[in-house]
Amino acid sequence: MNLGKRTRRAVTSLLAFTMLTGAPQAFAKEAQAQARAQAQAAARPNVLFILIDDLKPAIHGYGDPTAITPNIDRLIARGTRFDLAYANQAVCAPSRLNLMSGARSTTSGIYDFGMNLRDFMPDTVTLPQYFMKAGYRAESIGKVFHIGHGTVGDPQSFSVPPHKDHVIEYVSPEALAVGRTREEALFNEFELPDEDVWEFSRTLPKGVAWEDPDVPDDAYADGRTADYAIGRLDALKGGAQPFFLAVGFARPHLPFSVPKKYWNMYDPARLPMPQFERMPDGAPAFAGKVGGEINAYTPVPADTPEAQYPDDLKRKLIHGYYAGVSYTDAQIGKVLDELERTGLAENTIVVLWGDHGYHLGDHAIWTKHTNYEQATHQPLIFAGPGVARGASTRQPTETVDIYPTLAALAGLPAPKGPQPMDGINLKPVLENGATRLRGYAYHFYNRPHRWGQAIRTEQYRLVRWTHDETGERVYELYDLVNDPGETRNVASDKPAAV
């Protein structure tokens, strides 16, 4: 069904109803107004929003020579790539709430797991809700909101109940023999006892950090998510409403449970190993991270400093991450193929977003939860109507910018909350990548009694750590042009830049 037919159907159905029922004049006027509103909605573009868990720009189209990502690359080729996009906070749950609310963590007060959106900002109109109010049908597939670790989803953000699948999942006999694991408990992968989930999870064994069984893609959740999204695109193409379809993929999040064929795409001997395995010179000790999520898996040694992991373990973890990237890329390719097959691509805005970055051993850190480049740098791609093709931009960008930008691309009024809206509309950048609307991106991560607020410009990252009791401030400044690996804090050398 083409756009014109969808628009005409929305108008004529309501007008015909008023004529057939002999509705009074007042009702007829109301129906006509409703018909006009539906017609305006029907004329708007669809939205396909692809969310990827723990994906840093380990993408060939972002310049990573190791990554095998032909499908994300072809999306980049028909859209605009943001080279300096940053998570407002490098942890899954708050980052996704930054996206959905348009509010930074330092605005909402949501910094961690177990801090739920409606408890802090009960009247929030989320991104999909805003599109629903404009006449869209909003659906959620896979991991969209973070559910687990005491954090709940937000079903009212969608027109129908979200279609959820696993984040932590094993299929190999060796992994299944372990039984229920602590990370499965934290992600609500099975019915939990009525007690503190963190305490309960500690009573369970660790799961394995990776597996590579020879199984089809749909043996894991991401393959099933892609299949379900394909079915929904086929069903939605003929609807009277435009759609907002959010599709969330779990890999490359740990565990690296990925079909064997994706592991086989990489030669372990050619993988990029960590090059700088210590904290930056001059950095405060509290700015780093020791252990954490990586210690929830075997055979990771819990009592061994990360820099001292055996090389074969480091290589295996890096191999698993890249295998997960390519597996997810293949699932995205299936969804993009269906978008084209159904004829929806021409009138659908596609957004691809990774919720934050990932360290993979640099600075002797694995996973995320810091204010450094590897943890905060995220991929962000827009494609479709109103977006320049084959373009890139170094406009510093934050997750919270996506909400107002997507609204503008769809021709909707600028969102005004009622929650505070911290993002800016980057539609002019999507039309011309050389445009600059703001000179920085802002992000945040805290440590006990320390509030780490960061500004990332095209050249620098400045982190200001404020002690919440004494007010004492400590600064980190990194020159990302001359020191892209953030090996040296130059705050004391460059007071003018600070």
Side-chain angles (χ1 to χ4, degrees):
M1 175 178 292
N2 63 34
L3 180 62
K5 289 181 180 178
R6 187 172 74 183
T7 306
R8 289 195 296 272
R9 175 183 288 184
V11 175
T12 58
S13 60
L14 276 170
L15 293 181
F17 174 76
T18 60
M19 295 173 62
L20 289 172
T21 56
Q25 186 174 8
F27 182 80
K29 288 182 179 179
E30 181 180 341
Q32 288 172 353
Q34 187 177 353
R36 285 193 295 271
Q38 286 194 12
Q40 289 176 344
R44 299 194 190 282
N46 304 304
V47 176
L48 172 62
F49 202 117
I50 300 169
L51 306 89
I52 309 173
D53 208 354
D54 283 10
L55 179 67
K56 65 177 180 177
I59 297 166
H60 188 77
Y62 266 87
D64 187 321
T66 302
I68 301 171
T69 53
N71 297 293
I72 298 177
D73 295 348
R74 64 182 165 113
L75 182 64
I76 290 172
R78 72 178 191 88
T80 293
R81 181 191 74 218
F82 283 83
D83 289 340
L84 296 177
Y86 292 88
N88 289 110
Q89 191 166 0
V91 59
C92 299
S95 178
R96 289 164 188 261
L97 293 181
N98 299 147
L99 169 73
M100 292 296 183
S101 67
R104 296 165 172 158
S105 295
T106 40
T107 294
S108 68
I110 299 173
Y111 308 111
D112 207 344
F113 297 117
M115 305 176 78
N116 288 299
L117 178 65
R118 301 294 170 183
D119 294 336
F120 286 79
M121 298 189 296
D123 299 325
T124 294
V125 175
T126 65
L127 173 59
Q129 274 185 305
Y130 187 72
F131 276 77
M132 286 165 60
K133 288 177 177 290
Y136 280 69
R137 179 181 177 88
E139 298 190 13
S140 169
I141 304 169
K143 184 177 178 182
V144 176
F145 281 86
H146 182 96
I147 299 174
H149 303 80
T151 301
V152 300
D154 194 58
Q156 68 200 71
S157 287
F158 303 100
S159 305
V160 293
H163 183 84
K164 184 181 179 297
D165 212 316
H166 294 292
V167 175
I168 311 298
E169 186 175 22
Y170 298 107
V171 302
S172 68
E174 299 81 6
L176 293 174
V178 175
R180 298 295 193 186
T181 68
R182 59 184 62 183
E183 286 294 293
E184 287 177 286
L186 289 173
F187 275 94
N188 298 4
E189 300 289 14
F190 57 91
E191 189 172 350
L192 300 170
D194 187 17
E195 60 183 275
D196 181 85
V197 67
W198 295 94
E199 292 294 329
F200 173 69
S201 71
R202 294 187 186 100
T203 69
L204 300 175
K206 297 181 180 183
V208 299
W210 64 79
E211 63 176 4
D212 59 350
D214 191 3
V215 295
D217 288 2
D218 62 5
Y220 292 113
D222 285 347
R224 298 189 297 271
T225 291
D227 291 344
Y228 192 82
I230 287 168
R232 292 311 301 150
L233 285 173
D234 192 57
L236 292 167
K237 68 179 180 182
Q241 294 175 278
F243 62 78
F244 183 109
L245 184 63
V247 183
F249 294 102
R251 299 285 80 76
H253 191 287
L254 278 164
F256 303 135
S257 301
V258 181
K260 182 178 289 292
K261 64 182 177 181
Y262 297 102
W263 291 80
N264 290 345
M265 293 169 70
Y266 294 92
D267 177 357
R270 299 174 65 87
L271 292 168
M273 296 293 283
Q275 297 299 306
F276 188 80
E277 296 183 88
R278 56 186 173 84
M279 287 290 289
D281 295 340
F286 56 75
K289 175 192 175 186
V290 177
E293 178 185 5
I294 192 71
N295 287 338
Y297 298 93
T298 61
V300 178
D303 298 325
T304 300
E306 283 89 332
Q308 296 177 26
Y309 286 174
D311 280 352
D312 60 347
L313 174 59
K314 296 176 186 177
R315 194 176 299 277
K316 194 74 174 185
L317 291 169
I318 292 168
H319 193 173
Y321 185 86
Y322 275 98
V325 169
S326 290
Y327 169 58
T328 297
D329 176 81
Q331 310 321 305
I332 292 168
K334 296 172 188 176
V335 177
L336 295 178
D337 287 345
E338 182 67 8
L339 195 70
E340 294 169 4
R341 188 195 69 79
T342 54
L344 289 166
E346 183 179 348
N347 194 47
T348 298
I349 301 165
V350 181
V351 183
L352 185 146
W353 172 79
D355 59 359
H356 46 67
Y358 211 76
H359 272 276
L360 281 184
D362 76 284
H363 293 107
I365 297 169
W366 295 82
T367 75
K368 51 269 188 181
H369 309 139
T370 75
N371 275 315
Y372 293 122
E373 183 78 1
Q374 292 294 333
T376 56
H377 193 197
Q378 61 190 172
L380 177 62
I381 304 160
F382 281 80
V387 179
R389 296 174 65 94
S392 64
T393 179
R394 288 183 59 81
Q395 164 68 60
T397 305
E398 307 172 26
T399 286
V400 292
D401 296 333
I402 296 172
Y403 190 153
T405 301
L406 196 48
L409 281 176
L412 303 179
K416 300 186 182 300
Q419 75 276 14
M421 299 293 297
D422 291 325
I424 64 172
N425 170 18
L426 296 174
K427 185 173 182 287
V429 179
L430 292 170
E431 296 167 343
N432 180 356
T435 302
R436 293 292 180 271
L437 302 177
R438 182 185 58 210
Y440 65 90
Y442 172 92
H443 60 85
F444 166 90
Y445 206 86
N446 62 314
R447 291 286 182 252
H449 297 294
R450 301 275 186 178
W451 296 82
Q453 297 168 278
I455 288 173
R456 174 62 156 96
T457 68
E458 291 191 59
Q459 180 169 1
Y460 293 106
R461 166 173 288 104
L462 177 72
V463 187
R464 183 181 71 187
W465 295 96
T466 305
H467 197 284
D468 62 3
E469 294 177 351
T470 68
E472 174 199 16
R473 284 181 168 168
V474 177
Y475 292 88
E476 294 178 86
L477 181 70
Y478 299 98
D479 184 340
L480 278 300
V481 172
N482 296 302
D483 180 23
E486 290 180 310
T487 66
R488 183 167 174 262
N489 175 14
V490 296
S492 61
D493 297 340
K494 296 190 174 186
V498 171

